[in-house]
Amino acid sequence: SKVGLPIYFEKGYKLSNLAFLPPLNFSLKEYLVLKLALSTSILSKNEIFQKTAKQIIAKIEAGLNPELKSRITEDKQPYRIQLKETGDFDKEILWFKPLELAILNQRKIQLTYLTLQKGETARQIDPYGLVFKRHAWYLVGFDQLRKDYRIFRLSRIKKLSILDENFIKDKTFSLEKYFEDSWELYQGETLNFKIKFWGE
C-alpha cells in the first residue's frame, strides 16, 4: 500500500488485478525503432550500458501482446546504426563510472588533462554531462580555471578524483542548448553568409 498498489483481503491479503500492467500495445514499427535505439553501437559496445539495454529490451519483449510477439520472431531487424568510434575505448570506460557518479551527485572533480597545446594541465571541474560526439565520448563541465563551460575528451584524461565538495548546478544550462550552434564539437561566433556555385 505504501507504493500505491491496490490490495484487498479475502482469506489473506491479495494484490488486485489492477496492479498489473496490460500487454504493451506497440506497433511493429514502434518496437523496431525502440530496439534500434537500444541496440546502437555506442550502447551495445559500451559495457556500462550494454547489460541495461539488453534488460530493457527483454522486459519490453516480455510485455508485448502475443500477436506482435509472433511477428517479431519472423521479421529480422531491418535497421542498424553503426557509429564510427575513434576514442580509446579502454580509457573511456575507465573514467565513465566515476564521472557518472559525480554528475548524478553534483560533486566537483579534479582532472589531470592532456591538451594538444599545453600538455598536461590540472583542472577542477563541475561535471554536467557525458556526450558522444565526433566518434568519441566527452565530458561537458564548468571549468573553474577558465570560468566557462568546456569539453573534455575522456581518452585524454590522465587522472581523475571526485572531491568532497558539491556544486550548485546552473538550472538554465542544457547540453542541447550548449551544442545548438556547434559544428559537431566546434563552437564560435554564428555568421550568415552566401555560397555561389557554378558549373558542375
Side-chain angles (χ1 to χ4, degrees), residues 20 40 58 88 110 122 153 168 183 189 194:
F20 300 97
T40 57
D88 188 329
Q110 184 75 35
R153 186 167 174 150
I168 298 170
W183 183 9
E189 184 186 354
K194 293 181 180 180

Side-chain angles (χ1 to χ4, degrees), residues 80-110:
R80 179 81 50 199
I81 296 177
Q82 195 71 30
L83 297 171
K84 185 179 179 182
E85 297 176 57
T86 59
D88 188 329
F89 184 71
D90 291 334
K91 285 184 180 178
E92 289 181 345
I93 291 299
L94 180 65
W95 307 125
F96 212 95
K97 277 189 176 178
L99 285 171
E100 188 179 35
L101 283 171
I103 292 164
L104 292 173
N105 295 312
Q106 292 184 210
R107 295 276 290 276
K108 291 178 181 286
I109 58 170
Q110 184 75 35

Side-chain angles (χ1 to χ4, degrees), residues 95 110-113 120 123 156-161:
W95 307 125
Q110 184 75 35
L111 293 183
T112 301
Y113 187 73
E120 288 190 9
R123 306 287 185 91
R156 290 200 197 128
I157 297 173
K158 296 300 178 183
K159 291 179 184 176
L160 184 151
S161 55

Side-chain angles (χ1 to χ4, degrees), residues 3-181:
V3 296
L5 291 173
I7 59 173
Y8 65 97
F9 186 86
E10 185 184 317
K11 296 180 182 178
Y13 287 102
K14 296 180 181 180
L15 278 171
S16 164
N17 290 334
L18 298 174
F20 300 97
L21 291 172
L24 296 170
N25 289 316
F26 285 131
S27 67
L28 179 62
K29 186 74 175 283
E30 287 170 339
Y31 162 76
L32 290 173
V33 170
L34 191 55
K35 188 174 181 181
L36 172 69
L38 292 166
S39 304
T40 57
S41 58
I42 56 171
L43 292 186
S44 61
K45 289 183 179 181
N46 185 325
E47 64 186 40
I48 307 294
F49 298 125
Q50 188 182 66
K51 186 179 178 182
T52 304
K54 284 182 177 178
Q55 286 173 337
I56 294 169
I57 292 171
K59 285 181 180 179
I60 290 167
E61 289 177 347
L64 293 174
N65 67 61
E67 183 186 348
L68 185 55
K69 275 186 183 180
S70 65
R71 287 196 66 186
I72 64 173
T73 54
E74 298 166 7
D75 292 302
K76 293 181 179 179
Q77 179 75 11
Y79 319 115
R80 179 81 50 199
I81 296 177
Q82 195 71 30
L83 297 171
K84 185 179 179 182
E85 297 176 57
T86 59
D88 188 329
F89 184 71
D90 291 334
K91 285 184 180 178
E92 289 181 345
I93 291 299
L94 180 65
W95 307 125
F96 212 95
K97 277 189 176 178
L99 285 171
E100 188 179 35
L101 283 171
I103 292 164
L104 292 173
N105 295 312
Q106 292 184 210
R107 295 276 290 276
K108 291 178 181 286
I109 58 170
Q110 184 75 35
L111 293 183
T112 301
Y113 187 73
L114 180 64
T115 65
L116 296 177
Q117 295 83 16
K118 298 181 180 179
E120 288 190 9
T121 60
R123 306 287 185 91
Q124 191 177 111
I125 309 294
D126 299 345
Y128 272 70
L130 292 163
V131 294
F132 186 88
K133 284 266 187 184
R134 198 167 175 80
H135 322 314
W137 282 99
Y138 292 84
L139 166 70
V140 179
F142 187 83
D143 185 350
Q144 296 293 341
L145 180 67
R146 306 293 182 194
K147 300 298 179 187
D148 199 4
Y149 294 97
R150 290 287 189 270
I151 305 167
F152 304 91
R153 186 167 174 150
L154 265 59
S155 58
R156 290 200 197 128
I157 297 173
K158 296 300 178 183
K159 291 179 184 176
L160 184 151
S161 55
I162 300 175
L163 305 178
D164 291 331
E165 188 181 353
N166 288 85
F167 69 93
I168 298 170
K169 193 172 182 179
D170 180 358
K171 292 180 180 178
T172 64
F173 178 86
S174 77
L175 291 173
E176 288 78 14
K177 285 182 180 178
Y178 184 72
F179 288 106
E180 192 172 42
D181 294 321

